[in-house]
Amino acid sequence: MNLGAQQTNSPDVFAAILASKMKPGALTAMKSKQSYLQYRDDPVGFCENILGETLTDDVVKMMESVRDNLVTVAVSSNATGKSHGGARVAVWFYQCHEDCKVFTAAAPPYSNLKNILWGEIGSVVAKHPDMFSSHVVTALDIRRGPEDFLTGVSIPSSGTDKEREAKFSGKHQKNMLFVLDEGDAIPDDVYAGIESCMSGGHVRLLIFLNPRQAAGAVFRMQRDNTAHVVHLSALRHPNVVTGKDVIPGAVTRETTVRRINEWTRPLNPDEKIEKESVFTVPYFLVGATAPRQNGGFYDPLPARKRKIINPAFSYMVLGQYPAQGTNQLISSEWISRARARYDIYVLEHGEVPPVGTSGIMGQDCAEMGDDLNVAVGRYGGYLTSFTTWGGVDTIETGSRAIDWYNSHARITSANVDATGIGAGVAPHMQLAGCVAMGVKVAQKPTIKTDMGDFRLLRDQLLWSVREWLRTDPSAMLPPNEELLEELAVPTYDTDSGKIEVMKKPDMKEVLKRSPNHLDALAMTFAGGGTFFSDCMYSDEVADA
Amino acid sequence: MPKIRKVTHEYAWELRQARLDEAAITKQPLVERPYWYEDTDTGKCFYDLYGGLAWPTEVTDKDDGRPGYVAIVGIVKGQRKPQDAAFHLCAEAESKDIPTLLQHMLDLRSSWGFGLTPGFLQTWFGDPERFIMTTALLNERLMQAGGDKQAILIAPPDDFYSTKAFDHYVRSMHSVVVPGKVRFGFGGNEVLKNRLREFKRDDPAVMAVGGLVHSLLSRTMWMDQSRSNCFNLQEG
């Protein structure tokens, strides 16, 4: 830089001359940038000293985890400041790292991202305009340069899994952070895309969720210890602990006490229940009371254990996954037992069906869109590996099903989902010499249980899967993540006087996909209860 | 060219007489015949073969009906006692179209040895009162071409006119495929297997084979009566 003929030996003079040549505000930005960079390893200090925020202990732990761990999952109860903290983490990472990309996203609908997460980021921008004075700030985007930004990425609720994965893949930079709000409702494909971006550089992933259901990619991260988990519990929030409005807008003691009264009940001393369903009233809430929603006050809380009677208490107050309810269709214990049996069996015999057993093929046919066809064979208690395919028409599906049928030894019959698009598959298989039966799950059930009638054949088939896992000591489950997840989702009720299993749209809502593997398995139980279901279909009769 | 040939014992008359004598002494009502039939492709031997027919079900505005069904069932000559012989589904065919179904029937009986002995596979078990005109016209053609013995005869299975006929037939059918007492082989034919698994009321395949099996079980038709006429008088 040419500073003219002036004397520049003195550093102070040099600085003064340099400052006079710079654009207005640029020096302030440079100075503040220098000061922000010192918080590169201190997100809490940045939030407290620079942003002037008050953080709860749980949020502090979450911020430190983002600094220290590649993947952080923040399992949170309601109104404990997860989106508030997430927005501050995003701003800290953006301001305190050079050459960085920060991607924020939230589960659909788009308003989750725009109003909640970016509402919090917007409040930081509004409160600290100087911090962003030299940045280009637009809706859902703040940037210092083309490769240096904090941005919001929408997650399409439609489109194929490949399209969703592609939206989050191919992103690389020296420093990179992904912040995902309502992470349990984000499709698995998004995580697959992000995983592909985490190959190099200083990359961090922060996921927030309310733990409503023990299923999905984020649950698997926690279960498999591939993420550092931080819990944000209402019972540790300063508002609840102190009973004062320390952080306005966050969860209050009154709300918490009301939920304790409404969603839990005193535990009977002789009652034996799972520890996940028991809640101990913390010392600071003993004697606390709260107004009832219909007027009056609840009695002061006694110091004793209580039973959680509404799963919402687990995820909205405790910030933990609900224990399996009494109306869970398939217990996690039965699943674990069947999984263990499979591993032991395979260790001894390999992945081959037991000698002397014959198999029944079950096939779930894909509906329109990115749904998949799934085929499986059940030889008594043994399940073959699941075969999936998609994107083909009914004829091709039928042809592949015929190949599957013929390529598996001792398959004696096939039960094919004949609802909707799959209606033509079973007849196609029959023409090829397969013993195939179309099963319409919306039809009347064919059997009853001691507990009562089933509403539909679908309820009967899923119930058969339950009874198989519950009562058959040879029932084995292969290590198929999708199947294990799908087995753990459905609940049932008998409110209508008939046994009714959780509806498929509700299961899709939880899983973010169709429960194809479970449906295929359930198909292997079809045909039961008809007059000839227990019969032998031998081609030759042995001489007596 | 039929795939079936008739095999007669070298000493057929003597053998039959000996069996009749033995049956009279032991008071057995049935005797084995001194001849049988052999499938020249597989070598499988049958005491006799029978045909079963069921017409397509009714077409309604809600249902396009189930196809009609024809089948040939053989009584297997094996290690079992003749009266407990197993049944074997030799061939089957189905069609929703009556002329096609009748043509299937003609093809089946021709390839499975129609006419090897008088009346062999001429009378089929089925409902004789439906599609009479179509059957009569076909018979007229057949008789013009080959004589009276070429006609298709349809006789009702046992209990056919009972209001519970289907119930009788499915129970008889069930009794021969129930585990532990299997007496019916499907011979690699898949239509009947599929129909039994689906099991819909009045299904033609179940009706045809069920009716046939019911009649066979009731009458043991593949064996001869040891006392077959009114001149067989009690002694003394």
Side-chain angles (χ1 to χ4, degrees), chain A residues 212 274-278 308 311 314-315 320-328:
Chain A
R212 290 183 189 87
E274 293 172 26
K275 64 177 183 182
E276 290 84 2
S277 299
V278 178
I308 299 169
S314 296
Y315 64 80
Q320 63 188 36
Y321 287 100
Q324 282 202 316
T326 48
N327 64 341
Q328 192 73 28

Side-chain angles (χ1 to χ4, degrees), chain B residues 155-182:
Chain B
D158 290 9
D159 294 320
F160 183 74
Y161 295 104
S162 160
T163 51
K164 303 277 186 192
F166 186 75
D167 187 56
H168 292 317
Y169 297 167
V170 292
R171 286 180 197 283
S172 291
M173 189 69 218
H174 188 268
S175 72
V176 294
V177 290
V178 72
K181 292 181 180 173
V182 176

Side-chain angles (χ1 to χ4, degrees), chain A residues 337-352:
Chain A
R337 282 208 303 252
R339 269 293 300 118
R341 279 195 291 262
Y342 182 90
D343 289 344
I344 293 166
Y345 175 84
V346 168
L347 205 62
E348 203 168 320
H349 303 281
E351 289 182 350
V352 288

Side-chain angles (χ1 to χ4, degrees), chain A residues 360 405 412-415 430 433-438 443 526-527 530-544, chain B residues 44 78-80 86-88 170-171 173-174 177-179 182-190 193-199 206:
Chain A
I360 301 169
Y405 184 100
T412 56
S413 62
N415 297 324
Q430 288 175 3
C434 304
V435 180
M437 185 172 80
Q443 285 185 336
T530 63
F531 196 72
F532 289 94
S533 60
D534 58 343
C535 292
M536 295 283 288
Y537 297 94
S538 321
D539 283 335
E540 297 290 337
V541 182
D543 274 326
Chain B
K44 190 183 272 290
Q79 299 297 312
R80 289 168 175 249
F87 306 135
H88 183 81
V170 292
R171 286 180 197 283
M173 189 69 218
H174 188 268
V177 290
V178 72
V182 176
R183 197 178 166 185
F184 190 95
F186 288 83
N189 297 288
E190 306 295 350
K193 279 188 203 173
N194 280 306
R195 296 291 182 267
L196 289 177
R197 289 191 72 87
E198 288 174 340
F199 189 57
V206 182

